[in-house]
Amino acid sequence: MKIRIGIIAIISVVFVSCSTSKSTNYLVGTYTDSESQGINVVQFNEESKAISVQKVVSGIENPSYVIANKAKTIVVSVEETASKDGGKVTSYSYDSNSNTFTKLSSFFTKGDHPCTVAFSPKEDFIVVGNYSGGNLTVFPIDKSGNLSESVNSIQFEGQSSNLERQEKPHVHCIVFHPKENKMLVADLGRDVIEIIPFDENSKAFLQNDKSVAVKVVAGSGPRHLVWNNAGTRLYVTFELTNEVGVFDYRNNQLIPVQTIALTKEKTSGSTAELRLSNDEKFLYASVRGVDNHIVVMKIADDKLEKIQTILTERTPRNFIISENQKYVLVASQGSNLISVFDRNKKTGLLTKTSSAVSINKPVYLFSF
């Protein structure tokens, strides 16, 4: 009798372990060609590598950049459009039990083609970066997800050496310092990284008059920014020269440390996303256009070393490393696909798999 119970217990344990599998949802920002398209919710099974579309939130135009609060109850997306009042920022509440999104509020951003958006650290404000408008706009947001009218904006002025791409400011990325009350902004059009202090207790949030503009190499076009966890080092993609830059940060200053070329040709202007592994040993960058690949870099002795260039589908606009760090999901705008790559956590190297899902013009991924 005791033996039989033991066998049953073993079988039960095996059954439970085989039946449970870790799945993660991702919000997918897209460009839309019809009213039925919009924000996609994709589910990725980290054991079987199966990836599928679970839901499409329609009725939103060009939701190219979409994020959620820490509790995953509020979703905020830009609408990358243009009008006399600029593009839009739109918020939703999310009910995980019913898997439903409810639209709450939408405001014009006072700048054309918003392409980046971020929650403030305490999630009381939303900051939107308008690419063609060359400006930032700040919106209060309440705990239910309702946005209010803009309380602050910063309009940048100037240009840089590439007159085709840098004829005016082009805001492309917003990141918050992990330790200090500072927000950094990549302005591709002026070759500037702005360091802007903020005050969560202020109605305006951003302290516009205390902003510091850090000039980078003329014609490089800073696009995406990634901090290390300590906030002492900043990695930057330079879109127009297909490079990654490394900066030390101290005393409100960025000090150049290294620049590494991602392609043989520096002038194709197509480098996009940048991601850092959780252990901070590897850095990944996507390159679009004629190249269509992910570049893998090892971080050793505080230096970057390029260790792999792997082909992707067309136009790898954005990608994300899975929560377990074993996979990389690549959103290829030109191929209408999200493709799955295996990632070796020890070596950092990628291997393409056959797992993929079709989505119209995917351009951003956010773990949800």
Side-chain angles (χ1 to χ4, degrees), residues 9-10 12 14 30-31 77 145 156 198 320 333:
I10 292 170
S12 298
V14 172
T30 69
Y31 287 123
S77 176
F156 300 113
F198 65 86
I320 193 168
Q333 178 184 349

Side-chain angles (χ1 to χ4, degrees), residues 85-101:
D85 297 311
K88 289 183 179 180
V89 58
T90 300
S91 68
Y92 299 84
S93 63
Y94 175 69
D95 186 334
S96 58
N97 293 323
S98 58
N99 192 29
T100 56
F101 291 76

Side-chain angles (χ1 to χ4, degrees), residues 156-163 166-170 184-195 211-223 225 234 236-238 240 245-248 252-259:
F156 300 113
E157 302 290 344
Q159 58 183 197
S160 196
S161 60
N162 185 332
L163 296 183
Q166 298 178 305
E167 79 291 358
K168 63 178 182 178
H170 289 302
L184 269 67
V185 179
D187 187 339
L188 182 148
R190 294 184 301 140
D191 284 320
V192 164
I193 299 172
E194 292 278 347
I195 304 175
S211 176
V212 173
V214 178
K215 291 288 292 184
V216 297
V217 175
S220 57
R223 179 183 172 102
L225 313 172
L234 183 75
V236 183
T237 50
F238 293 126
L240 303 184
V246 184
F247 295 82
D248 278 344
N252 210 39
Q253 294 182 325
L254 293 172
I255 298 95
V257 173
Q258 182 186 10
T259 302

Side-chain angles (χ1 to χ4, degrees), residues 39-42 52-57 94 98-101:
I39 301 168
N40 284 246
V41 180
V42 164
S52 59
V53 175
Q54 298 296 301
K55 192 176 188 67
V56 177
V57 183
Y94 175 69
S98 58
N99 192 29
T100 56
F101 291 76

Side-chain angles (χ1 to χ4, degrees), residues 59-60 77-79 87-92 103-109 139 145-149:
I60 183 169
S77 176
V78 300
E79 295 190 50
K88 289 183 179 180
V89 58
T90 300
S91 68
Y92 299 84
K103 184 176 178 179
L104 298 175
S105 54
S106 188
F107 287 90
F108 287 104
T109 61
F139 299 86
N146 294 290
L147 295 163
S148 299
E149 283 282 2

Side-chain angles (χ1 to χ4, degrees), residues 14-80:
V14 172
F15 176 79
V16 169
S17 64
C18 290
S19 63
T20 56
S21 59
K22 169 67 172 174
S23 291
T24 303
N25 287 343
Y26 295 90
L27 295 170
V28 181
T30 69
Y31 287 123
T32 55
D33 297 320
S34 71
E35 291 185 359
S36 63
Q37 297 168 352
I39 301 168
N40 284 246
V41 180
V42 164
Q43 185 176 81
F44 175 60
N45 187 302
E46 295 178 350
E47 290 186 0
S48 67
K49 304 180 193 178
I51 183 168
S52 59
V53 175
Q54 298 296 301
K55 192 176 188 67
V56 177
V57 183
S58 60
I60 183 169
E61 186 177 2
N62 292 341
S64 61
Y65 200 102
V66 57
I67 59 174
N69 64 342
K70 297 182 185 74
K72 312 301 187 204
T73 57
I74 300 169
V75 171
V76 177
S77 176
V78 300
E79 295 190 50
E80 194 174 324

